[in-house]
Amino acid sequence: MSALPQATDLARIFLEDVPLIDLRAPIEFKDGAFPSAINLPLMTDGERAQVGTCFKQQGQAAAIALGHQLVGGDVRAERMEGWLAHLRQQPDALLYCFRGGLRSQTVQQWLADAGVTRPRVAGGYKELRRFLMDTQDKASAECHWTVLTGMTGSGKTHMLEQVAQAVDLEGHAHHRGSSFGQLPGGQPSNINFENKLTIELLKRRHLGESAFVVEDESRLIGRCALPLNLYEAMCQAPLVVVDVPQEERAEQIRIDYVQDLWQRYQEMYGAEEGWPLFAAYLTEALARLKRRLGDKDHRELDALMQAALAEQARSGNTELHLAWIRLLLTRYYDPMYLYQLDNKRERVHFRGDKQACLAFFAEQHANKANQKSSTC
């Protein structure tokens, strides 16, 4: 089995989105994998657990024998057909298991015996993951980071859609980064969040990019944690502050967190099932702020929110939501932001309205491009 080919160019795998066949058990795949991977396991979760117990109690030889017993006969034939069928569709796919060991070697040999030779990834999932972690470390340390900040509702995410250097952290986390930021469909595992983010940075650095703009975030975006080295780089990075009037910010929140989000719930669950889920989402998001708001303010805001939800359910009109949104900005989000910005004022590199900030980013990008062309 050792004579069969191994894939060692890990950068190429990610730069070219090489198809991957993940042979690990489903529970391992769910915990973390790679965007171009499909899970076609050698063993189910139950079979893997049995083999693991046997290994601990009786040793490697007995565990290997049990594995062949569990994945033999019709079971082996069925799984072989699954691998062969996928390889007919993706003939360039590579194989991997956790460490590039027995599972991928076994399947690789079975495929070779059937006349199909495909490389396995040297070091398997563990080596691919280590490569991405090293890539993330280097990007955090070597790239120039700028952080866009501004009061809640400033539309920073929408602004970054117009910035060539932008990296959408919230997009990778599938979360809008606040108590109200949860999106239907849930978030990726933290490993998958890190993997997709790092692969984007790898590809963009390969194209020569070295300066990136991100939105101001806490370490946690929902339940996805930013890599510590990236978060620390962001905490030291220069700030660009966008100034937006409160009324405009309240309207942006109504559009994003009420109107657009309700549409997402309808598309995923349908109107009948989606409405109670959406209403509960808003109510619970506000409840998470109760300790900081205090009981009196929370009760006042919740009453306004429930009235707005009732009107929305009755007529579809979402204008009443502006009442609780304005009050929440005034009493909670705006004072908190001003306090935090005051602590970071020495890092402010530029400040202006949306158009001024976008022009600043465009000028930065043009200057970088000119510097690059002058050195060619």
Side-chain angles (χ1 to χ4, degrees):
M1 286 192 289
S2 60
L4 291 171
Q6 297 188 64
T8 58
D9 188 349
L10 306 186
R12 186 187 74 85
I13 291 173
F14 296 117
L15 289 171
E16 300 179 10
D17 296 321
V18 175
L20 297 167
I21 297 177
D22 188 321
L23 299 164
R24 299 174 302 153
I27 193 171
E28 297 173 280
F29 184 84
K30 184 179 179 181
D31 187 52
F34 308 103
S36 63
I38 183 173
N39 189 212
L40 297 173
L42 172 61
M43 293 184 288
T44 65
D45 293 336
E47 290 162 352
R48 173 177 172 266
Q50 290 182 61
V51 171
T53 300
C54 182
F55 179 83
K56 291 177 183 176
Q57 295 176 349
Q58 302 178 44
Q60 185 181 53
I64 292 173
L66 177 59
H68 282 284
Q69 178 185 334
L70 293 171
V71 189
D74 291 342
V75 173
R76 172 175 165 175
E78 180 183 350
R79 289 178 195 171
M80 273 290 292
E81 180 50 39
W83 299 319
L84 290 168
H86 186 70
L87 286 168
R88 285 192 287 271
Q89 296 179 344
Q90 299 280 4
D92 297 329
L94 305 176
L95 312 171
Y96 74 87
C97 61
F98 184 64
R99 292 188 179 88
L102 283 173
R103 283 183 284 182
S104 56
Q105 291 179 45
T106 298
V107 173
Q108 187 182 35
Q109 186 63 57
W110 289 352
L111 289 170
D113 292 342
V116 178
T117 300
R118 292 305 308 146
R120 71 181 189 277
V121 177
Y125 167 85
K126 191 173 182 180
E127 191 63 19
L128 289 166
R129 176 75 176 145
R130 184 203 60 76
F131 171 80
L132 288 181
M133 291 173 71
D134 288 347
T135 298
Q136 175 63 64
D137 286 340
K138 291 175 183 176
S140 298
E142 297 170 3
C143 293
H144 180 271
W145 299 91
T146 301
V147 174
L148 173 64
T149 191
M151 287 186 172
T152 301
S154 295
K156 298 181 290 293
T157 300
H158 298 291
M159 287 178 62
L160 289 182
E161 293 172 357
Q162 305 175 60
V163 176
Q165 314 95 295
V167 175
D168 186 1
L169 300 176
E170 293 183 359
H172 284 297
H174 194 63
H175 195 282
R176 284 177 170 152
S178 71
S179 177
F180 291 85
Q182 182 179 332
L183 297 172
Q187 292 187 260
S189 72
N190 208 78
I191 290 173
N192 286 352
F193 163 67
E194 292 178 352
N195 286 349
K196 288 190 72 174
L197 170 60
T198 304
I199 290 168
E200 178 186 348
L201 294 176
L202 173 70
K203 289 179 176 180
R204 293 176 65 171
R205 295 196 73 193
H206 184 70
L207 295 174
E209 294 185 59
S210 61
F212 300 104
V213 178
V214 293
E215 188 173 338
D216 198 4
E217 306 284 358
S218 63
R219 175 83 194 278
L220 286 176
I221 306 177
R223 60 177 177 79
C224 288
L226 287 169
L228 180 58
N229 47 19
L230 174 57
Y231 179 67
E232 289 174 343
M234 289 169 58
C235 287
Q236 302 299 319
L239 296 174
V240 170
V241 181
V242 60
D243 292 316
V244 181
Q246 188 189 88
E247 193 59 30
E248 185 178 335
R249 291 186 287 114
E251 176 63 10
Q252 186 68 64
I253 291 170
R254 184 188 69 84
I255 292 170
D256 287 344
Y257 291 84
V258 178
Q259 198 164 288
D260 174 68
L261 197 60
W262 166 228
Q263 183 64 35
R264 289 176 184 240
Y265 271 87
Q266 285 190 89
E267 291 171 356
M268 179 163 287
Y269 301 107
E272 185 175 348
E273 185 180 347
W275 176 257
L277 294 173
F278 168 73
Y281 144 78
L282 278 184
T283 302
E284 291 165 7
L286 182 62
R288 283 192 288 271
L289 299 177
K290 182 177 180 179
R291 183 177 61 83
R292 296 179 180 178
L293 288 168
D295 184 64
K296 180 177 180 295
D297 281 355
H298 173 259
R299 280 189 282 108
E300 182 179 359
L301 284 159
D302 185 64
L304 291 170
M305 177 183 284
Q306 298 313 312
L309 285 168
E311 177 60 28
Q312 185 179 355
R314 187 188 70 81
S315 67
N317 190 300
T318 61
E319 293 296 320
L320 283 185
H321 284 281
L322 287 170
W324 68 263
I325 292 170
R326 293 187 191 105
L327 198 59
L328 187 59
L329 289 174
T330 299
R331 295 187 183 176
Y332 177 66
Y333 280 113
D334 288 2
M336 179 178 64
Y337 170 80
L338 291 171
Y339 172 78
Q340 292 173 343
L341 183 61
D342 186 60
N343 291 333
K344 299 182 284 191
R345 59 186 181 275
E346 71 282 355
R347 291 169 48 205
V348 175
H349 189 62
F350 183 85
R351 185 166 190 165
D353 61 18
K354 287 184 179 181
Q355 291 308 313
C357 290
L358 289 172
F360 173 79
F361 288 132
E363 183 180 2
Q364 274 197 327
H365 185 61
N367 289 340
K368 285 283 183 183
N370 291 336
Q371 291 171 11
K372 183 178 177 181
S373 62
S374 67
T375 59
C376 293

